[in-house]
Amino acid sequence: MNILWAFIVGGAICVVGQLLIDLTKLTPARILVVFVVAGCILGGLGWYDRLVDFAGAGATIPLPGFGNLLARGVKKAVDERGLLGVVTGGFTAMAGGVTIAIVFGYLAALVSSPRAKDV
């Protein structure tokens, strides 16, 4: 049942993104920013954690989950270090995910033949 809810919630987040692409004049980059900021706000309010508890990876994998991770990192760092945690918390929380993205991006570039896109 957990897999079904993860699929439904993750799919619903993707549907919202597709609707924003189809029905608005927002660029994909702005839509990505909207998702991350929404995840930060909902995470800061403590609401996104309820969705994560319910849907698991369906809520943590999409971009709002990244925003929630940033908010949680900042909250934790502020509790531990005070005002300095506002600056350092997000970086500490996202370091693992960004490192993995860089490593796998590099490995993908090694096994493929990347080239500039002809315009």
Side-chain angles (χ1 to χ4, degrees):
M1 197 64 177
N2 292 339
I3 294 171
L4 178 65
W5 283 119
F7 179 78
I8 290 171
V9 171
I13 292 170
C14 293
V15 166
V16 170
Q18 189 63 49
L19 288 173
L20 287 172
I21 289 171
D22 292 343
L23 302 176
T24 68
K25 293 185 178 190
L26 291 173
T27 63
R30 289 185 177 167
I31 293 170
L32 296 176
V33 170
V34 166
F35 275 142
V36 173
V37 170
C40 278
I41 292 170
L42 294 174
L45 295 172
W47 298 347
Y48 203 82
D49 288 333
R50 294 181 195 160
L51 186 62
V52 169
D53 291 340
F54 176 72
T60 57
I61 299 300
L63 281 171
F66 182 70
N68 179 48
L69 177 68
L70 291 174
R72 257 194 286 156
V74 169
K75 282 167 104 175
K76 181 180 175 188
V78 166
D79 290 342
E80 293 173 356
R81 298 184 197 116
L83 191 57
L84 183 62
V86 172
V87 178
T88 62
F91 291 112
T92 304
M94 71 177 182
V98 171
T99 301
I100 292 296
I102 290 170
V103 168
F104 281 106
Y106 178 72
L107 292 175
L110 286 177
V111 298
S112 64
S113 56
R115 60 187 177 278
K117 184 178 177 182
D118 293 331
V119 179

